[in-house]
Every structure is written in structure tokens, then in C-alpha cells.
Amino acid sequence: EQFQSIIMAIICLNALVMGAELEYPHPPYSYLWQCLEHIFLMVFTFELLVRLKYQGWAFLFSGTDRFWNWLDFVIVVGGIIDQWLLPIIIMIDDYLVLGHFQSHSGSMSDVLRLVRIARLLRILRLMRLIKNIPPLYTLICGIVKAMQGMSWVMLLTITVLYISALIGVKLVGPSGLLVTSATTEVSEDSPSAHARILHHGGGGSSDAETPLPVSSCFPNMFDAIFNMFKVMQMDLD
């Protein structure tokens, strides 16, 4: 447990250094960040080797923590390739092709750029903090379970909106069962009346107080669902 606590503290320190790298990317700070990155990689490589020595291949292929173990393995191996192996390969390639060492270019530069992007996987190491802090892990599990329940709430909401819109269109829609000839005439006249209100500014005329017919809220299923959703949101404009 003490060893695990030390590793967790180093992960936190590594996360802080990653943030500092973005704030102070230029020399002389950049040299410090590079040295610290190598130290962090050595520590994480040592941890991975110890766990492989202690647990064997069961570390990767059995147990409930296989996901986390594979995540550690991929991050550490990617760091070894990026920080230790790839620079050596580039130097050897430049020396064999050009006869001397120089800054990498061409296809090797593209490969290096991809590997640098893959280094963002180091951020996932912070997930281990969540896994190894019981209160935080319990909170995350609770949020995930609550989000699963929210899907059923969304389904219930959509169902209620659909049923309400269906009833509204059936009863008071353009061809609804409760629509009378008088209502139809009002519905047909309401757009022109509304246009007159807008034209005169709506000031003081009796037409300004004339409400729109209910059938205008249920012209079709799509608009009916949308209008019912607006009512749920208290958007009554």
C-alpha cells in the first residue's frame, strides 16, 4: 500500500508537470521538463517491471484490474518508444543515410509527430487516481449509475411528449375531432388578424387581445411535439 501511495503521488506530480510544460515551454524550463519526464518514465517502468515480476502474465490476462493494467502497460511502452527508442532510431537513421547527425526530417518527422500525439495517452494515467481513491471512485460510480437512470427519464419524457402531441392533433388539430366550423373560420382568419396587429404595432386595438386558436399549436405531429416541449420548458412565447 505504501508503494502504491508513492506511485499515486508521482502520478499527481507528473500531471502537474504536464500542465507546467504548457505554460513554460521554452528554455531553460524545457530542459527541466525533459529531465523530469525521463525520471517519471524510469519510475513507471520500474513499477511495471515489479508488478510483472510479482504477478507474472496474470497481470495482463486475469483479474478485475486488467483494463487498468493494460492501460499502464500501453502508456509505459509508448513512453519508452517515444522518449528512449525513437530518438536513437532517428539518430542512427540520419547517420547511416547522411553520414552525420542532424535534425530529423521527412517521413521520420511525421512518425515522430504521431508518437508525440500518442503521448497524450499519459493523461489517462490520472484515471488511476480515481480508481485508487475509494470516495472518489464511489462518487464516479454513482454518477455513472445516475446517468443510466437519466436515459430512462429521457425515454419517459419523449413518450409523454409524443402521446400528448398525438392527443392534441387528434382532438384540436386541423382535422381534429373537436374542431367545429366556427373554430376553422377563426383559425383561417387568425393569420391575417395577427398580421394586422404587427402592422399597427399592436397598440390599443381589440385585435391585439385576440388569442391564437388552440389548433395553431397542433398543426402536425412535429410542431405539436416541439410546442409541448416548449411548454415543459416554460417557454410560452
Side-chain angles (χ1 to χ4, degrees):
E1 293 182 359
Q2 294 179 350
F3 179 73
Q4 191 69 16
S5 299
I6 294 174
I7 295 298
M8 292 299 105
I10 294 176
I11 291 176
C12 291
L13 183 59
N14 187 20
L16 294 176
V17 170
M18 291 172 63
E21 286 184 52
L22 300 178
E23 292 294 327
Y24 305 98
H26 305 294
Y29 299 105
S30 59
Y31 303 123
L32 174 62
W33 308 143
Q34 290 178 7
C35 293
L36 290 177
E37 287 294 340
H38 287 294
I39 294 174
F40 289 139
L41 183 57
M42 286 189 290
V43 172
F44 294 134
T45 302
F46 174 75
E47 180 210 8
L48 182 63
L49 293 176
V50 169
R51 295 172 72 179
L52 284 172
K53 177 67 175 178
Y54 179 72
Q55 301 180 19
W57 290 111
F59 172 75
L60 297 175
F61 298 103
S62 65
T64 57
D65 293 335
R66 285 176 297 174
F67 169 78
W68 305 99
N69 297 338
W70 272 104
L71 179 63
D72 289 340
F73 181 80
V74 171
I75 292 175
V76 171
V77 172
I80 292 173
I81 295 174
D82 173 37
Q83 296 180 229
W84 295 344
L85 296 182
L86 194 58
I88 297 176
I89 294 174
I90 292 174
M91 291 175 61
I92 294 176
D93 179 73
D94 289 340
Y95 184 77
L96 293 178
V97 174
L98 303 175
H100 58 86
F101 299 111
Q102 70 169 24
S103 59
H104 47 272
S105 60
S107 59
M108 292 303 296
S109 178
D110 296 334
V111 173
L112 182 60
R113 187 179 298 108
L114 292 176
V115 175
R116 295 294 182 183
I117 295 175
R119 290 184 64 185
L120 293 175
L121 290 174
R122 295 180 303 167
I123 300 175
L124 297 179
R125 191 179 281 125
L126 293 175
M127 296 176 62
R128 288 184 58 186
L129 292 177
I130 299 175
K131 180 66 171 61
N132 289 275
I133 300 178
L136 187 58
Y137 184 70
T138 302
L139 177 62
I140 295 297
C141 291
I143 293 175
V144 171
K145 291 181 179 179
M147 293 302 295
Q148 294 175 352
M150 286 298 296
S151 62
W152 292 107
V153 174
M154 292 179 61
L155 179 61
L156 176 62
T157 302
I158 294 173
T159 303
V160 171
L161 287 175
Y162 181 81
I163 293 175
S164 302
L166 183 62
I167 294 175
V169 174
K170 284 286 187 181
L171 293 180
V172 294
S175 303
L177 300 177
L178 300 181
V179 176
T180 61
S181 59
T183 306
T184 304
E185 293 176 359
V186 172
S187 177
E188 292 175 351
D189 294 339
S190 59
S192 58
H194 188 59
R196 290 196 301 271
I197 294 172
L198 295 178
H199 179 70
H200 294 290
S205 64
S206 59
D207 291 339
E209 299 178 356
T210 303
L212 293 176
V214 178
S215 59
S216 64
C217 298
F218 299 92
N220 52 63
M221 282 298 298
F222 179 80
D223 289 336
I225 293 175
F226 180 72
N227 291 329
M228 293 299 298
F229 179 75
K230 290 176 63 178
V231 171
M232 290 181 59
Q233 299 296 317
M234 301 299 295
D235 183 5
L236 303 179
D237 295 338

